[in-house]
Amino acid sequence: MEQSQRNLRWYNLAIMAFIMVWGFGNVVNNFANQGLKVIVSWILINALYFIPYALMVGELGSTFKDGKAGVSTWIRLTTSPRFAYFAGWTYWVVHIPYLAQKPQMILVAFGWGVLQNGTFTKMFSPMVLQLCTLALFFFFLWFASRGITSLKRIGMIAGTSMLVMSFLYVILMLAAPAIRGVSVATTNWGWETFIPNFDFTYFTTISMLVFAVGGAEKISPYVNNTVNASKEFPRGMIILAVLVALSALLGSLAMGMMFDSNNIPKDLKMNGQYYAFQMLGQYYGVGNFFLILYAFAQFFGQASALVFSIDAPLKVMLAETESKYIPQVLTKTNEFGAPINGYKLTAILVGILIIIPALGIGNMNDLYNWLLDLNSIVMPMRYLWVFVAYMALRRIAGRFTSEYHFIRNSKLAFGFGLWCFIFTAFACIMGMFPKGIAAYTSQWYFQISLNLLTPFILLGLGLLLPSIAKTVNKKISG
């Protein structure tokens, strides 16, 4: 690459990656799980998992700088096309629970923006709300099929606004006791408030931490646009980890000042972000101004994320996978270039995941929390392929060249990849146990059954698809 194209410095890289990886919801969701004990958890997850993960991504991105499909390309070049197909399928199919939750988030944001309270989701039964969610998803699916990109640009503005407001929340909340005389909600600031109990219940919450810091592979295309990548890329990743850690630690501290760490509201995951900005506005005498700004930024940001996540992962999987693994009917496009049959498959899977849980989960808050927890189980499964690619790369050290190496010693590097793989898998498995409801009740059994069956079915479909493709493609060619 010509030197003129190397225009990213370590600080550019760190900021870009931070915007891709982080969000205020990560702070709220993990505080809801652990209270102020999450502060120690953030320190551990950054040091033992996130920094190695980000630096491995840097090496993979530098090695395969011309790859267009990210993880699928890495797997194809280090293992085989079949494994690359499974990696691509995993990357796409884990977005199904994500797509099922986004319309929920849009409804919640809309309710807070219009009514300025959390009563909207209490006005209707879970089934009625889920039917509204399904209708909303179908609308955005149609919107995406038209090749419309304007909402994505609006989403970029909304996403940046949410990030700015997240920092504003932390600064204003930390200053509120001194400036506005606000009382701190958490009264006990002893060690017992911060040190986690490393028991079974604690380990069921770590999948949410992994979910929060994952996604670093999105920055891999920029490795070779970095000035002196071997030095500045790892520096940028370390700064990224510092930014994530500071945001997580200070954000959690601010949440602990606003909400009692020992008496966390049950609906904090669903409504916590809005409570935070509503209370902040009250502290500073501006009413619901902050709340309304954040709610509508969240509305447009989540709508944009929904459209993008319907379209991009599916197109990447279909474009970069060998035709013998994918039925040709799935690659059919409409006049706008959208893979319309792939959209139909997405609609079926998302529709099932939206409606079936409403049959056994009694209220909208539990339904929202369950789907969020399901995302923390399923989404990190795509990170497993990052570590498979990295271990495979280090086993064949010398076959490929890279300007940047996380660790020179191949055996030690392989060990780090194996550790991250095992930790991610462990987090996903432990996350399958329901949280926030009484154990061994009918709802507990219903939720754990869904948590086990959903990833099994979604990933299992990927095992069946090559056989279906072989039969269908043969008929078409015949």
Side-chain angles (χ1 to χ4, degrees):
M1 179 175 291
E2 295 180 4
Q3 193 63 32
S4 61
Q5 294 178 280
R6 297 178 180 273
N7 52 14
L8 294 180
R9 299 297 305 275
W10 58 270
Y11 44 84
N12 303 128
L13 202 67
I15 295 299
M16 289 168 56
F18 182 75
I19 292 173
M20 291 180 183
V21 170
W22 196 246
F24 184 55
N26 294 326
V27 175
V28 175
N29 294 333
N30 284 285
F31 180 83
N33 275 342
Q34 298 185 20
L36 283 172
K37 297 182 190 302
V38 78
I39 287 179
V40 172
S41 299
W42 283 126
I43 295 171
L44 294 174
I45 201 77
N46 273 275
L48 300 178
Y49 182 79
F50 182 52
I51 293 177
Y53 172 25
L55 296 180
M56 288 179 212
V57 166
E59 183 173 343
L60 286 162
S62 179
T63 304
F64 307 113
K65 58 187 177 183
D66 298 321
K68 297 180 180 179
V71 179
S72 295
T73 298
W74 303 342
I75 292 292
R76 177 169 54 82
L77 294 175
T78 55
T79 57
S80 69
R82 179 173 287 271
F83 279 117
Y85 154 70
F86 288 130
W89 173 266
T90 303
Y91 184 84
W92 171 70
V93 84
V94 297
H95 280 80
I96 297 300
Y98 183 80
L99 295 175
Q101 174 127 66
K102 284 300 175 186
Q104 282 187 341
M105 293 181 171
I106 293 170
L107 282 179
V108 172
F110 176 80
W112 276 95
V114 174
L115 303 177
Q116 298 170 35
N117 56 49
T119 60
F120 181 75
T121 54
K122 299 176 183 178
M123 293 179 178
F124 310 98
S125 69
M127 180 57 73
V128 170
L129 286 170
Q130 286 301 88
L131 288 172
C132 293
T133 296
L134 184 61
L136 197 61
F137 172 75
F138 285 151
F139 168 76
F140 282 106
L141 187 75
W142 170 83
F143 193 88
S145 73
R146 308 289 292 178
I148 299 171
T149 59
S150 57
L151 189 61
K152 298 177 186 178
R153 290 191 286 271
I154 295 172
M156 285 293 292
I157 298 172
T160 304
S161 300
M162 285 190 291
L163 191 65
V164 170
M165 292 189 70
S166 300
F167 280 110
L168 183 68
Y169 168 78
V170 172
I171 294 169
L172 292 180
M173 187 60 228
L174 292 178
I179 296 176
R180 305 294 296 178
V182 173
S183 299
V184 175
T186 302
T187 56
N188 181 9
W189 292 83
W191 285 108
E192 63 273 15
T193 301
F194 295 93
I195 303 301
N197 299 317
F198 295 101
D199 53 13
F200 183 85
T201 301
Y202 172 81
F203 287 115
T204 64
T205 66
I206 61 174
S207 63
M208 192 68 73
L209 293 165
V210 173
F211 182 36
V213 299
E217 65 274 5
K218 295 176 185 176
I219 63 176
S220 60
Y222 301 100
V223 178
N224 291 285
N225 293 102
T226 306
V227 176
N228 194 2
S230 62
K231 292 184 178 180
E232 297 223 0
F233 183 83
R235 185 183 302 171
M237 292 304 94
I238 291 171
I239 297 301
L240 166 64
V242 171
L243 289 174
V244 169
L246 284 175
S247 178
L249 295 175
L250 294 177
S252 301
L253 188 64
M255 291 291 292
M257 294 170 66
M258 181 174 278
F259 302 97
D260 184 357
S261 179
N262 299 308
N263 189 24
I264 297 171
K266 291 184 178 180
D267 64 339
L268 197 68
K269 287 181 181 177
M270 183 167 68
N271 295 316
Q273 299 175 63
Y274 307 101
Y275 288 148
F277 283 98
Q278 185 175 51
M279 294 171 70
L280 192 68
Q282 293 170 359
Y283 293 162
Y284 283 89
V286 294
N288 286 334
F289 177 70
F290 291 146
L291 167 65
I292 294 170
L293 281 182
Y294 187 81
F296 282 107
Q298 182 82 332
F299 177 86
F300 287 107
Q302 296 300 335
S304 173
L306 177 57
V307 170
F308 181 78
S309 299
I310 288 171
D311 188 64
L314 181 62
K315 282 185 176 178
V316 168
M317 182 189 71
L318 295 178
E320 298 292 333
T321 301
E322 290 190 11
S323 59
K324 65 181 179 180
Y325 300 115
I326 297 288
Q328 290 182 28
V329 292
L330 288 181
T331 63
K332 178 185 176 182
T333 58
N334 62 12
E335 64 270 30
F336 302 103
I340 194 64
N341 288 330
Y343 277 29
K344 291 177 182 177
L345 176 61
T346 302
I348 293 169
L349 295 176
V350 171
I352 292 171
L353 199 53
I354 285 176
I355 296 301
I356 288 182
L359 299 174
I361 298 179
N363 63 75
M364 190 61 185
N365 184 62
D366 287 346
L367 192 57
Y368 183 96
N369 290 347
W370 169 76
L371 200 47
L372 183 62
D373 289 337
L374 181 65
N375 271 286
S376 76
I377 298 165
V378 175
M379 284 294 276
M381 290 180 177
R382 63 184 174 136
Y383 312 151
L384 294 172
W385 288 106
V386 175
F387 307 126
V388 169
Y390 187 74
M391 288 187 286
L393 174 65
R394 298 315 298 255
R395 281 182 66 90
I396 55 176
R399 188 180 300 180
F400 300 99
T401 58
S402 175
E403 296 181 26
Y404 162 67
H405 292 282
F406 164 40
I407 294 176
R408 291 285 176 182
N409 184 288
S410 292
K411 290 184 179 179
L412 184 59
F414 184 91
F416 270 99
L418 182 60
W419 151 252
C420 287
F421 181 93
I422 292 172
F423 183 79
T424 304
F426 175 74
C428 292
I429 293 169
M430 293 302 297
M432 292 179 180
F433 293 92
K435 294 168 279 294
I437 59 174
Y440 310 118
T441 60
S442 59
Q443 188 173 146
W444 187 90
Y445 282 114
F446 185 75
Q447 288 194 24
I448 197 171
S449 298
L450 290 177
N451 290 346
L452 289 167
L453 288 173
T454 301
F456 178 80
I457 292 172
L458 292 179
L459 297 177
L461 286 173
L463 297 175
L464 296 176
L465 206 61
S467 299
I468 297 172
K470 184 177 180 180
T471 303
V472 172
N473 293 348
K474 186 176 180 180
K475 288 181 178 179
I476 292 175
S477 62

